[in-house]
């Protein structure tokens, strides 16, 4: 009887000691003192402390030891879903997508009612560039949980890239019905309308993105362009000016602002911003000269336009349109048909095979000029 009593005392003492040690280890873990927590968990042993050791290694960034710890735990406890799930996410984090896929596939076969398993399976398939399989996984996640926002976002994003507007909106709108302020979904909805050329519909969603604090350059850029396309020139100007205050080294912003002024018949202001764009970035000089040539043509100043087109061609001789514009402007300026013909024939030599549409127009004009020269000779 005495022996039994002593055995019970020892068991109770050990249990209390383990409970005390576990409390200390958990406290160290909660406070981020992971190395000390590992040492204490190691003295306890068992499934739960082993899982915590793996989490500690992951928290301090020692992924190799964390993976080894998780793998041992999964091997000894194959039905412990939490260990397999965390190991799968860790493989995903270190970009070992094949191993992650194996684990998530195993988990959905064990528990096919967990949308997170399907979501992460979809993520691994996406990284492995197996889009069909990723779509199936995301759709399964949504079928189990219709409010699974990350899966809805990935489905919406996929169909946005594929320019399947209706399918994209279906998933995005489903997500927004459950969480109307989800910035990722709002951003995506704005992009769907923008890419579809529905600028008026894109505007309120882009404005909403800014209201929610997503003040990124691309948002202002798309909003400015949408205002411009919607003929709201004052808002377009203000948006581009805000963008310049954020980043004054992006030449495209100045080009966008110049286009707003040009459309609003303020050619002098448009020229100012074209020149600023050219100052910001040398490689776009050709685009700048081409824009300045266009402004000169609107003023019917063909000589200036011709000089700018020549500068554009000099900066970027591989662009056929610049030389084509030289031909058309010279055609209007000059009286000598032979000189005009020389320009057009030179275009055919330089770019004939590259630009079928322009070459067709050039060929037609060459034929007309030859006919004119023939009759003038007679």
């Amino acid at each position: 009887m005495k022996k039994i009593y002593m055995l019970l005392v020892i068991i109770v003492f050990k249990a209390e000691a383990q409970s005390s040690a576990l409390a200390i280890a958990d406290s160290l873990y909660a406070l981020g003192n992971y190395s000390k927590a590992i040492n204490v968990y190691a003295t306890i042993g068992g499934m739960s402390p082993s899982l915590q050791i793996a989490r500690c290694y992951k928290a301090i960034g020692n992924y190799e030891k964390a993976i080894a710890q998780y793998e041992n735990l999964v091997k000894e406890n194959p039905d412990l879903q939490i260990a397999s799930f965390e190991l799968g996410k860790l493989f995903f984090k270190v970009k070992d997508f094949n191993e992650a896929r194996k684990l998530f596939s195993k988990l959905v076969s064990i528990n096919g009612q967990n949308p997170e398993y399907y979501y992460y399976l979809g993520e691994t398939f996406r990284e492995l560039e197996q889009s069909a399989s990723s779509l199936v996984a995301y759709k399964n996640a949504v079928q189990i949980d219709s409010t699974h926002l990350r899966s809805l976002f990935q489905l919406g994003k996929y169909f946005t890239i594929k320019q399947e507007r209706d399918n994209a909106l279906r998933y995005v709108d489903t997500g927004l019905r459950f969480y109307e302020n989800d910035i990722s979904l709002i951003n995506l909805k704005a992009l769907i309308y923008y890419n579809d050329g529905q600028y008026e519909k894109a505007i309120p969603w882009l404005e909403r993105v800014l209201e929610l604090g997503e003040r990124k350059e691309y948002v202002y850029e798309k909003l400015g362009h949408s205002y411009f396309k919607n003929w709201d020139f004052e808002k377009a100007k203000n948006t581009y000016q805000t963008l310049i205050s954020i980043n004054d080294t992006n030449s495209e912003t100045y080009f966008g602002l110049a286009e707003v002024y040009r459309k609003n018949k303020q050619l002098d202001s448009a020229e100012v911003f074209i020149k600023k764009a050219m100052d910001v970035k040398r490689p776009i000089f050709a685009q700048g000269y081409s824009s300045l040539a266009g402004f000169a043509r609107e003023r019917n100043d063909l000589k200036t336009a011709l000089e700018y087109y020549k500068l554009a061609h000099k900066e970027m001789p591989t662009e056929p349109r610049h030389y084509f514009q030289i031909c058309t402007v010279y055609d209007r300026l000059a009286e000598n048909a032979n000189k005009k013909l020389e320009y057009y024939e030179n275009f055919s030599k330089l770019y004939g095979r590259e630009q079928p549409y322009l070459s067709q127009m050039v060929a037609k004009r060459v034929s007309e000029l030859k006919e004119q020269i023939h009759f003038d000779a007679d």
Side-chain angles (χ1 to χ4, degrees), residues 14-32:
K14 284 182 73 175
E16 287 179 352
Q18 280 191 333
S19 177
S20 176
L22 187 61
I24 292 169
D26 286 343
S27 177
L28 289 167
Y29 176 82
L31 293 171

Side-chain angles (χ1 to χ4, degrees), residues 84 102 126 201 216 251 263:
S84 294
K102 290 175 188 176
R126 181 171 62 83
K201 288 185 176 181
K216 301 287 180 64
S251 59
K263 201 78 171 177

